[in-house]
Amino acid sequence: MSHSEVETPIQTIGPGPTRPLTISAYVPFSNNAETVLEAIRSVAAQTLPPESIVAIDDGSTDGGAELLEAQGFRVVRNQRNLGRGATRNRAMLESTGDLVLSCDATNRIAPEFVEQALPWFADPRVAAVFGRMLDPHPEGVAGRWRARHLLKCKAEMPASRCGSLSTGGALLRRSAVLGVGNFDVALRHSEDAELGERLAAAGFDIAFDPRVAVFCNIRNTIPQVLERYWRWHAGRDERVTWLAYLRLVSYSVKGMIALDLADRDPQSALISVICPHYQFWRSKGRRKRAERGPGFSCLSITG
């Protein structure tokens, strides 16, 4: 379907009049000066561009906010680093559209992202649509492991309605998000998964559409991919029981290592060996809770 053929879903206003849905966008960032400009430019370059874009700076000290302002983008600053939940909460309050496009600072979204996600919102039960994370050119052993086990780039993922949510690249119905209380300001990670649970409990649908592409725009080291895997799977309480630990070890052998060896990648298999032990160690709080990884990495629960 071409741009000119796309029909914007209609929003009912009260009992009578209707109008097309409006779209705004936000990009959250925290010390992501190297990638945030490309992220926000991918938002501005949509075939159906948002009417407004706001960048939310969560306490950066690397000049990212000044870089965006020099390019003419609106930046709203948190006075200190508040974490993902509080930053996304503020982003939804600063946004004005019926639909709000979210793109994390370490990602970029395909030009047709909004155009391909928009038809889902013809159904008023749909509160959010999120896309598939891709890494077209993984570099090094950490990149290969991330593509295989975090992003699952080779896995077949059909479009579906589900109760999970990733906001690394997503289109959100603002009234639904605010109606269930917005993002939890207390959460420093897993804030999108938790919001997805509340939306589902309120009777809304969340759509995953693999055509709606989100590209990972940052390289990770081996420690960073292990931290990222833990953060994506830790849950809000960050607990790993002994029974869960044994299950993680079993999965790393039967699932992860098996995939690595099938791809003739023994180096990645070594990361898979370490992964469950890292998750268990991390859950015991041997690092400061404030250490949540490098800035606003994409938070996907599809990986």
Side-chain angles (χ1 to χ4, degrees), residues 225-299:
V225 293
L226 287 169
E227 174 71 9
R228 200 169 179 182
Y229 191 94
W230 171 80
R231 192 172 65 239
W232 286 15
H233 296 84
R236 296 189 299 279
D237 60 6
E238 302 180 357
R239 291 182 65 246
V240 177
T241 64
W242 280 101
L243 179 58
Y245 172 57
L246 294 176
R247 289 173 177 165
L248 289 171
V249 171
S250 176
Y251 175 69
S252 75
V253 173
K254 297 178 180 178
M256 301 169 76
I257 295 173
L259 281 176
D260 295 327
L261 296 180
D263 284 348
R264 299 181 180 180
D265 190 356
Q267 290 178 313
S268 288
L270 292 176
I271 304 178
S272 296
V273 169
I274 297 169
C275 186
H277 310 297
Y278 181 89
Q279 288 180 276
F280 186 69
W281 169 74
R282 190 69 172 85
S283 75
K284 298 305 176 184
R286 295 181 183 177
R287 290 186 177 182
K288 295 179 182 178
R289 293 301 184 193
E291 294 176 0
R292 302 296 178 178
F296 252 92
S297 298
C298 50
L299 278 179

Side-chain angles (χ1 to χ4, degrees), residues 22-25 51-52 91-100 174:
T22 58
I23 301 170
S24 57
E51 297 178 6
S52 63
M92 295 302 297
L93 296 177
E94 294 284 345
S95 300
T96 57
D98 299 311
L99 304 179
V100 179
R174 186 170 181 267

Side-chain angles (χ1 to χ4, degrees), residues 147-176:
R148 187 178 300 122
H149 298 300
L150 272 171
L151 308 183
K152 300 187 184 298
C153 291
K154 293 184 178 181
E156 292 187 8
M157 296 183 180
S160 62
R161 298 195 184 206
C162 54
S164 60
L165 175 62
S166 167
T167 49
L171 193 59
L172 309 169
R173 193 184 298 272
R174 186 170 181 267
S175 61

Side-chain angles (χ1 to χ4, degrees), residues 15-263:
T18 60
R19 61 169 172 78
L21 292 170
T22 58
I23 301 170
S24 57
Y26 76 89
V27 174
F29 68 101
S30 179
N31 290 327
N32 302 117
E34 292 185 0
T35 57
V36 67
L37 186 57
E38 186 170 358
I40 203 167
R41 282 175 171 168
S42 75
V43 170
Q46 291 295 294
T47 54
L48 291 177
E51 297 178 6
S52 63
I53 304 172
V54 60
I56 310 293
D57 177 13
D58 190 25
S60 295
T61 57
D62 64 350
E66 292 77 11
L67 175 66
L68 293 181
E69 288 175 330
Q71 296 294 319
F73 292 105
R74 178 184 173 222
V75 177
V76 173
R77 291 174 169 86
N78 293 339
Q79 292 185 349
R80 58 184 176 84
N81 183 276
L82 299 177
R84 299 163 191 269
T87 299
R88 294 195 194 279
N89 183 293
R90 184 170 187 181
M92 295 302 297
L93 296 177
E94 294 284 345
S95 300
T96 57
D98 299 311
L99 304 179
V100 179
L101 174 62
S102 167
C103 178
D104 281 0
T106 53
N107 298 337
R108 58 182 172 85
I109 55 177
E112 304 83 9
F113 188 101
V114 171
E115 184 175 326
Q116 292 178 326
L118 196 58
W120 286 94
F121 291 94
D123 183 346
R125 295 174 300 174
V126 172
V129 178
F130 68 99
R132 182 169 189 175
M133 288 291 305
L134 298 171
D135 186 356
H137 306 292
E139 297 183 22
V141 60
R144 297 194 304 272
W145 191 89
R146 181 181 70 177
R148 187 178 300 122
H149 298 300
L150 272 171
L151 308 183
K152 300 187 184 298
C153 291
K154 293 184 178 181
E156 292 187 8
M157 296 183 180
S160 62
R161 298 195 184 206
C162 54
S164 60
L165 175 62
S166 167
T167 49
L171 193 59
L172 309 169
R173 193 184 298 272
R174 186 170 181 267
S175 61
V177 173
L178 298 184
V180 298
N182 206 344
F183 288 93
D184 188 336
V185 298
L187 295 179
R188 298 191 69 88
H189 66 77
S190 303
E191 76 291 342
D192 44 3
E194 190 274 338
L195 174 65
E197 292 171 2
R198 282 187 281 125
L199 287 169
F204 289 104
D205 288 341
I206 298 167
F208 166 72
D209 191 335
R211 302 171 306 157
V212 181
V214 185
F215 299 97
C216 199
N217 205 30
I218 189 173
R219 294 187 64 179
N220 288 136
T221 63
I222 291 175
Q224 286 172 342
V225 293
L226 287 169
E227 174 71 9
R228 200 169 179 182
Y229 191 94
W230 171 80
R231 192 172 65 239
W232 286 15
H233 296 84
R236 296 189 299 279
D237 60 6
E238 302 180 357
R239 291 182 65 246
V240 177
T241 64
W242 280 101
L243 179 58
Y245 172 57
L246 294 176
R247 289 173 177 165
L248 289 171
V249 171
S250 176
Y251 175 69
S252 75
V253 173
K254 297 178 180 178
M256 301 169 76
I257 295 173
L259 281 176
D260 295 327
L261 296 180
D263 284 348

Side-chain angles (χ1 to χ4, degrees), residues 2-22:
S2 69
H3 179 191
S4 61
E5 294 173 322
V6 173
E7 293 186 3
T8 303
I10 298 298
Q11 172 72 56
T12 300
I13 306 298
T18 60
R19 61 169 172 78
L21 292 170
T22 58

